Every structure is written in C-alpha cells, then in structure tokens.
Amino acid sequence: RPRVLSGIQPTADSFHLGNYLGAVRNWVTMQETHDAFFCVVDLHALTVGPDPAQLRARTRASAAQLFAAGLDPERCTLFVQSHVPEHAQLAWVLNCLTGFGEAGRMTQFKDKSLKQGADRTTVGLFTYPVLQAADILLYQADAVPVGEDQRQHLELTRDLAQRFNTTYGRTFTVPAPHIVRDTAKIADLQDPGAKMSKSASTPNGLIELLEPTNRIVKKIKSAVTDTGREIVYDPENKAGVSNLLTIYAALTGRTIDDLTAAYDGKGYGDLKKDLAEVVVAFVEPIQQRTRMYLDDPAQLDKLLAIGGEKARSVSSRTLARAYERVGLVAAA
Ligand code: TYM
C-alpha cells in the first residue's frame, strides 16, 4: 500500500469547512487505500505563541474532531506530533540543508511575519516549513493530501528530499502533493476572493464544524453573493455563488451541473436555505461524536498514545538511517 501523511494545526477551537473539505475529507477516504498517518501538529502551533492551557485543550479537541469526522484508529495512525520526538530531530538535520533565502521565499512565512511584525516574528515561524518537511519525510510518504495553500511547502519538501538523497544517498521517498482541485480552496463567505481561514477578518466568513447550528444558518444566509440573480458556476465573475455551489456539491456528492439545473429559475435565497440545511445535517453528527470523544479524555489520550507508538515505530527507523547517512555516530 502506498503511504500517506498529513497534518493539521491545533490553532483554533474548531476546524472550519475549508480544513474539512480541503484536507480531512480526503484523509478519511485515503485511509481505505493507503497506509495512512495523520498528525495534530502541536509543535507547529507553537509558532503563534498560544496560551499553554488553550494549546492543550485544542490539541485534544483537534484529535476528537478528526475521529468524529471519520478517521478510524483501526484503519489509520492518528497521533500528536510532539509525542514523536523524531520530528524535531529530523527537522534539525533538514534545517542544515535549507537555504536561508529559500526559507525566506515561503509566501506563508512572508504573510505571517508581516502580520506579526518584524520584532515578534520568531525563528520558529521561519523554519516552520522545514519541520513540515520532516513530518512528511519521516514516514516515507508517497502522497500528502492538503489544500492549495500548502503547495509551496510541499515543493520545498520535495526539494529537500531530493537534495538529501543526492548528497547522502537515497534515503527519502520524494512525496507528491495530493490536492483535489474542486475543494482545494474553499472561499471565505464574506470575502469570496480570499480562502476561508481561521485568521479571517470577520468570523462570519468561516463555518466552524463545532459552532452552534443556528449561527451556521445565519452565516450562510448572509454570505456575500453577487449582483445578478442567476445561479451559475462561474468562479471568476461569481465567486460567492460558485463557492456555495462547491460546498453544496462536496457535501452532497451531487455534481455542480446537477445543482445548477435544479436551481434554474430559483434565487440565491433558495440556494442558501437549502445549503444551510445540508451543512447543519453534516455538522450535527460530527459535533455529537466530538463531544463523545471529549467526554472521555482518558480514552482519547489512550488512542493517541497507541497512534504515537505506531508512528514512532516508523519514524525512529527513518531518523536512524538519516543520522547515519549524514555522519552522526550511533550511540553504542
Ligand atoms: P492548517 O492547519 O492550516 O490546515 C489544515 C489543512 O486544511 C487545508 N485548508 C484548506 N483547504 C481548502 N480550503 C481552505 N480554505 C483551507 N484552509 C485550510 C490546508 O491546506 C491543510 O491541508 N502547514 C500545515 C500543517 C502541516 C502539514 C504537515 C500538512 C504540518 N505538517 C505535514 C501536511 C503534511 C497547515 O498549516 O495546515
């Protein structure tokens, strides 16, 4: 079976629909076809300086949501990044192969450091993508299911794998991004030109999996649409409506053509009303199952401990090989 690895940051109380449709949904399908590893990347979350108690709570809530969304501990390995020390260890080796300018060209770094301000930007934020490369390469992943915004980080990962392999001999699988075009960039409901994001300017632009359903309904009803009244799929000129259609299609399995035909002659209000129902019906069971996992933190921690063990059995072998290749003396 081909190997897959992906990660998600515990930087919010809830994942949003962009995280789910761009990434997590594909994780759930790929656990059937791949040897699958998924991690809650708490070390990455440290780059935004979270409150310790909040980080701890969000890490568990993230794992609970992933199980609730359909990751099955029998079918995949879900773990917490910091439980597997090899991630930070391999990241150091890769840091020593990454150009300073190369890291400086990462657009997510440039955007985030601009937002944080030069004085508050840490070295951790700078090397964030190198830690991400370590996450992936440790598991010899063939494929990495992510949204469009991760493409550049995956390009860096591939470059680092190739560089290591040419310098020290074949050690790492060079991973391919797995980006499903239709849902790779879910847009902000209030600003359809931008991606849905936890750091959006207004909370009304994003739909959180765990938020009260009446709020979800309100947000969908007040989503920015476009002038005109026709329901057509035209991402260039009608980004708002097209985004709603994308979400609708993804959650129901219906095609965009089928939807536009069904809404021919109807208005935006009809579309929004029905989509709100679809989204609520989708999140309700996830909310329920998330609560169930969070109600039993001991059991949740146990599942994560098992995942961490399984992950380490792979990552420790890869790290030992990489350490050996670069010339580190193995402890006797
Ligand atoms: P993060 O936590 O920001 O996002 C998790 C996943 O959600 C996707 N995503 C979206 N997809 C479609 N539309 C959107 N609006 C949208 N917003 C977010 C992201 O592309 C991502 O797949 N750097 C990563 C975490 C990471 C990682 C890894 C990923 C760390 N190590 C190793 C893959 C492999 C991140 O910030 O994801």
Side-chain angles (χ1 to χ4, degrees):
R1 277 190 162 199
R3 203 40 95 55
V4 66
L5 175 127
S6 198
I8 192 160
Q9 295 196 77
T11 44
D13 291 334
S14 170
F15 295 142
H16 56 69
L17 217 46
N19 298 136
Y20 178 78
L21 293 176
V24 175
R25 188 167 82 120
N26 301 321
W27 302 4
V28 175
T29 44
M30 287 174 101
Q31 68 183 341
E32 308 298 341
T33 50
H34 288 66
D35 185 15
F37 290 80
F38 302 111
C39 58
V40 178
V41 293
D42 54 347
L43 297 173
H44 278 108
L46 287 178
T47 58
V48 295
D51 168 73
Q54 196 172 51
L55 175 60
R56 221 179 326 270
R58 288 175 168 179
T59 299
R60 290 202 176 95
S62 297
Q65 285 172 84
L66 292 173
F67 285 131
L71 290 188
D72 177 351
E74 306 271 306
R75 292 191 163 72
C76 72
T77 302
L78 175 65
F79 64 100
V80 175
Q81 185 187 34
S82 65
H83 292 177
V84 183
E86 287 81 4
H87 290 243
Q89 292 174 297
L90 182 63
W92 177 257
V93 175
L94 296 176
N95 272 329
C96 298
L97 278 181
T98 309
F100 190 83
E102 189 176 33
R105 282 193 292 277
M106 293 294 115
T107 57
Q108 287 214 337
F109 169 71
K110 289 196 277 190
D111 293 348
K112 285 191 195 169
S113 58
L114 216 62
K115 264 192 206 148
Q116 292 184 352
D119 313 337
R120 291 178 48 217
T121 297
T122 65
V123 174
L125 188 69
F126 188 61
T127 67
Y128 176 114
V130 182
L131 178 60
Q132 180 167 350
D135 298 340
I136 298 165
L137 300 183
L138 273 176
Y139 299 90
Q140 308 287 11
D142 300 288
V144 186
V146 287
E148 180 61 39
D149 60 354
Q150 296 301 309
R151 194 182 284 282
Q152 195 190 27
H153 287 168
L154 290 195
E155 209 41 60
L156 176 71
T157 303
R158 290 168 58 83
D159 288 346
L160 290 174
Q162 272 153 353
R163 194 171 305 156
F164 191 104
N165 288 347
T166 357
T167 313
Y168 299 110
R170 212 179 127 41
T171 307
F172 296 120
T173 302
V174 180
H178 177 92
I179 299 174
V180 178
R181 208 185 42 178
D182 290 345
T183 49
K185 190 179 168 189
I186 300 298
D188 185 296
L189 298 186
Q190 289 299 317
D191 178 10
K195 70 169 179 182
M196 187 177 283
S197 154
K198 326 176 218 226
S199 51
S201 48
T202 148
N204 291 336
L206 87 166
I207 295 176
E208 293 180 319
L209 301 185
L210 299 185
E211 74 183 318
T213 51
N214 61 340
R215 238 169 56 193
I216 293 182
V217 172
K218 265 197 208 139
K219 286 182 181 182
I220 292 177
K221 290 198 170 154
S222 62
V224 167
T225 37
D226 326 82
T227 51
R229 41 200 11 249
E230 246 186 306
I231 295 173
V232 291
Y233 184 75
D234 177 1
E236 288 277 298
N237 303 305
K238 292 172 85 103
V241 176
S242 301
N243 188 45
L244 298 181
L245 286 168
T246 297
I247 296 171
Y248 200 145
L251 290 182
T252 55
R254 293 171 70 177
T255 63
I256 301 267
D257 282 348
D258 174 34
L259 289 174
T260 49
Y263 283 94
D264 187 29
K266 295 190 181 167
Y268 293 158
D270 301 308
L271 174 70
K272 288 175 170 179
K273 185 172 149 293
D274 295 349
L275 176 60
E277 272 174 32
V278 165
V279 174
V280 168
F282 164 73
V283 299
E284 266 173 347
I286 292 190
Q287 296 189 352
Q288 214 167 35
R289 288 196 293 265
T290 301
R291 254 180 266 125
M292 193 187 80
Y293 281 103
L294 288 176
D295 278 346
D296 192 350
Q299 172 63 13
L300 184 64
D301 286 0
K302 205 168 106 195
L303 290 176
L304 292 173
I306 294 169
E309 288 281 310
K310 281 204 273 175
R312 282 203 79 178
S313 71
V314 176
S315 65
S316 60
R317 263 185 284 139
T318 314
L319 182 77
R321 198 175 317 144
Y323 267 17
E324 196 266 321
R325 285 278 158 90
V326 300
L328 303 179
V329 174

Short mmCIF file of all heavy atoms in Angstrom, two decimals, residues 106-132:
data_model
loop_
_atom_site.label_atom_id
_atom_site.label_comp_id
_atom_site.label_asym_id
_atom_site.label_seq_id
_atom_site.Cartn_x
_atom_site.Cartn_y
_atom_site.Cartn_z
N MET A 106 9.25 31.58 1.28
CA MET A 106 7.95 30.93 1.54
C MET A 106 6.90 32.01 1.74
O MET A 106 7.01 32.84 2.65
CB MET A 106 8.04 30.04 2.78
CG MET A 106 8.94 28.83 2.64
SD MET A 106 8.33 27.64 1.43
CE MET A 106 9.61 27.74 0.21
N THR A 107 5.84 31.97 0.93
CA THR A 107 4.87 33.07 0.99
C THR A 107 4.10 33.07 2.31
O THR A 107 3.73 34.12 2.81
CB THR A 107 3.89 33.01 -0.19
OG1 THR A 107 3.25 31.74 -0.18
CG2 THR A 107 4.60 33.20 -1.50
N GLN A 108 3.86 31.86 2.89
CA GLN A 108 3.13 31.85 4.17
C GLN A 108 3.98 32.52 5.25
O GLN A 108 3.44 33.21 6.12
CB GLN A 108 2.77 30.42 4.57
CG GLN A 108 1.65 29.86 3.70
CD GLN A 108 0.73 28.92 4.46
OE1 GLN A 108 1.10 28.33 5.48
NE2 GLN A 108 -0.48 28.76 3.97
N PHE A 109 5.29 32.29 5.20
CA PHE A 109 6.17 32.97 6.17
C PHE A 109 6.11 34.47 5.96
O PHE A 109 5.98 35.23 6.92
CB PHE A 109 7.61 32.47 6.04
CG PHE A 109 8.58 33.31 6.81
CD1 PHE A 109 8.59 33.27 8.21
CD2 PHE A 109 9.45 34.20 6.17
CE1 PHE A 109 9.47 34.07 8.94
CE2 PHE A 109 10.31 35.01 6.89
CZ PHE A 109 10.32 34.94 8.28
N LYS A 110 6.18 34.88 4.71
CA LYS A 110 6.17 36.33 4.45
C LYS A 110 4.86 36.96 4.93
O LYS A 110 4.88 37.99 5.59
CB LYS A 110 6.41 36.59 2.95
CG LYS A 110 7.85 36.28 2.55
CD LYS A 110 8.23 36.88 1.21
CE LYS A 110 7.79 36.00 0.07
NZ LYS A 110 8.34 36.44 -1.22
N ASP A 111 3.75 36.30 4.62
CA ASP A 111 2.45 36.83 5.05
C ASP A 111 2.34 36.89 6.57
O ASP A 111 1.95 37.91 7.14
CB ASP A 111 1.30 35.95 4.53
CG ASP A 111 1.18 36.03 3.01
OD1 ASP A 111 1.83 36.92 2.42
OD2 ASP A 111 0.46 35.19 2.44
N LYS A 112 2.68 35.77 7.21
CA LYS A 112 2.50 35.72 8.67
C LYS A 112 3.46 36.65 9.39
O LYS A 112 3.10 37.27 10.39
CB LYS A 112 2.70 34.29 9.19
CG LYS A 112 1.53 33.36 8.87
CD LYS A 112 1.67 32.05 9.65
CE LYS A 112 0.74 30.97 9.11
NZ LYS A 112 1.04 29.64 9.65
N SER A 113 4.68 36.74 8.91
CA SER A 113 5.64 37.60 9.61
C SER A 113 5.28 39.07 9.41
O SER A 113 5.48 39.90 10.28
CB SER A 113 7.08 37.33 9.15
OG SER A 113 7.21 37.52 7.77
N LEU A 114 4.69 39.36 8.26
CA LEU A 114 4.22 40.72 8.02
C LEU A 114 3.13 41.07 9.03
O LEU A 114 3.09 42.16 9.60
CB LEU A 114 3.66 40.82 6.60
CG LEU A 114 3.90 42.10 5.84
CD1 LEU A 114 5.40 42.35 5.65
CD2 LEU A 114 3.21 42.05 4.47
N LYS A 115 2.22 40.10 9.25
CA LYS A 115 1.12 40.32 10.18
C LYS A 115 1.62 40.44 11.61
O LYS A 115 1.14 41.27 12.38
CB LYS A 115 0.12 39.15 10.10
CG LYS A 115 -1.05 39.45 9.19
CD LYS A 115 -2.15 38.40 9.36
CE LYS A 115 -2.96 38.29 8.08
NZ LYS A 115 -3.48 36.95 7.85
N GLN A 116 2.59 39.58 11.99
CA GLN A 116 3.08 39.59 13.37
C GLN A 116 3.98 40.79 13.65
O GLN A 116 4.13 41.21 14.79
CB GLN A 116 3.88 38.30 13.66
CG GLN A 116 3.01 37.05 13.66
CD GLN A 116 3.80 35.80 14.05
OE1 GLN A 116 5.03 35.83 14.19
NE2 GLN A 116 3.10 34.70 14.25
N GLY A 117 4.61 41.32 12.63
CA GLY A 117 5.57 42.40 12.82
C GLY A 117 6.97 41.83 13.00
O GLY A 117 7.14 40.78 13.62
N ALA A 118 7.97 42.52 12.48
CA ALA A 118 9.35 42.00 12.45
C ALA A 118 9.86 41.65 13.85
O ALA A 118 10.54 40.64 14.03
CB ALA A 118 10.27 43.02 11.79
N ASP A 119 9.53 42.44 14.84
CA ASP A 119 10.07 42.19 16.19
C ASP A 119 9.49 40.93 16.81
O ASP A 119 10.10 40.34 17.68
CB ASP A 119 9.72 43.34 17.16
CG ASP A 119 9.99 44.69 16.54
OD1 ASP A 119 10.82 44.74 15.61
OD2 ASP A 119 9.36 45.67 16.99
N ARG A 120 8.29 40.57 16.37
CA ARG A 120 7.64 39.44 17.02
C ARG A 120 7.76 38.15 16.21
O ARG A 120 7.33 37.11 16.64
CB ARG A 120 6.18 39.78 17.32
CG ARG A 120 6.07 40.86 18.41
CD ARG A 120 4.64 41.25 18.71
NE ARG A 120 3.78 40.10 18.90
CZ ARG A 120 2.52 40.03 18.49
NH1 ARG A 120 1.99 41.04 17.85
NH2 ARG A 120 1.81 38.96 18.71
N THR A 121 8.33 38.25 15.03
CA THR A 121 8.49 37.06 14.20
C THR A 121 9.64 36.21 14.74
O THR A 121 10.74 36.70 14.94
CB THR A 121 8.80 37.46 12.74
OG1 THR A 121 7.67 38.17 12.23
CG2 THR A 121 9.04 36.22 11.89
N THR A 122 9.35 34.93 14.98
CA THR A 122 10.37 34.07 15.58
C THR A 122 11.08 33.23 14.52
O THR A 122 10.61 33.05 13.41
CB THR A 122 9.75 33.09 16.60
OG1 THR A 122 8.87 32.20 15.89
CG2 THR A 122 8.98 33.83 17.68
N VAL A 123 12.21 32.68 14.95
CA VAL A 123 12.94 31.74 14.11
C VAL A 123 12.08 30.48 13.88
O VAL A 123 12.16 29.85 12.84
CB VAL A 123 14.29 31.38 14.78
CG1 VAL A 123 15.02 30.30 14.01
CG2 VAL A 123 15.16 32.62 14.91
N GLY A 124 11.24 30.16 14.86
CA GLY A 124 10.34 29.02 14.71
C GLY A 124 9.41 29.19 13.52
O GLY A 124 9.21 28.26 12.73
N LEU A 125 8.87 30.37 13.37
CA LEU A 125 7.99 30.62 12.22
C LEU A 125 8.78 30.49 10.91
O LEU A 125 8.28 29.97 9.92
CB LEU A 125 7.36 32.02 12.32
CG LEU A 125 6.28 32.30 11.29
CD1 LEU A 125 5.03 31.47 11.54
CD2 LEU A 125 5.92 33.80 11.27
N PHE A 126 10.01 30.93 10.96
CA PHE A 126 10.87 30.88 9.77
C PHE A 126 11.13 29.42 9.33
O PHE A 126 11.08 29.10 8.15
CB PHE A 126 12.19 31.58 10.11
CG PHE A 126 13.11 31.77 8.93
CD1 PHE A 126 12.72 32.51 7.83
CD2 PHE A 126 14.39 31.22 8.95
CE1 PHE A 126 13.58 32.70 6.75
CE2 PHE A 126 15.25 31.40 7.87
CZ PHE A 126 14.85 32.14 6.77
N THR A 127 11.38 28.57 10.30
CA THR A 127 11.71 27.17 9.94
C THR A 127 10.48 26.26 9.95
O THR A 127 10.61 25.05 9.79
CB THR A 127 12.80 26.57 10.86
OG1 THR A 127 12.27 26.44 12.16
CG2 THR A 127 14.03 27.43 10.90
N TYR A 128 9.32 26.83 10.14
CA TYR A 128 8.06 26.07 10.13
C TYR A 128 7.99 25.07 8.97
O TYR A 128 7.72 23.88 9.17
CB TYR A 128 6.91 27.08 10.08
CG TYR A 128 5.52 26.52 9.97
CD1 TYR A 128 4.60 26.69 11.00
CD2 TYR A 128 5.09 25.84 8.83
CE1 TYR A 128 3.31 26.19 10.88
CE2 TYR A 128 3.82 25.33 8.72
CZ TYR A 128 2.93 25.51 9.75
OH TYR A 128 1.66 25.01 9.63
N PRO A 129 8.24 25.50 7.72
CA PRO A 129 8.11 24.54 6.60
C PRO A 129 9.14 23.42 6.64
O PRO A 129 8.91 22.36 6.05
CB PRO A 129 8.30 25.40 5.35
CG PRO A 129 8.51 26.79 5.79
CD PRO A 129 8.54 26.87 7.27
N VAL A 130 10.25 23.64 7.32
CA VAL A 130 11.27 22.59 7.41
C VAL A 130 10.79 21.50 8.37
O VAL A 130 10.97 20.31 8.13
CB VAL A 130 12.63 23.19 7.86
CG1 VAL A 130 13.69 22.10 7.91
CG2 VAL A 130 13.05 24.32 6.93
N LEU A 131 10.15 21.92 9.45
CA LEU A 131 9.54 20.94 10.36
C LEU A 131 8.44 20.16 9.63
O LEU A 131 8.29 18.94 9.79
CB LEU A 131 8.97 21.65 11.60
CG LEU A 131 8.24 20.79 12.63
CD1 LEU A 131 9.15 19.70 13.20
CD2 LEU A 131 7.70 21.66 13.78
N GLN A 132 7.70 20.85 8.79
CA GLN A 132 6.67 20.18 8.00
C GLN A 132 7.30 19.14 7.07
O GLN A 132 6.76 18.03 6.91
CB GLN A 132 5.87 21.22 7.19
CG GLN A 132 4.78 20.60 6.33
CD GLN A 132 3.81 21.64 5.79
OE1 GLN A 132 3.81 22.81 6.18
NE2 GLN A 132 2.94 21.21 4.89
#
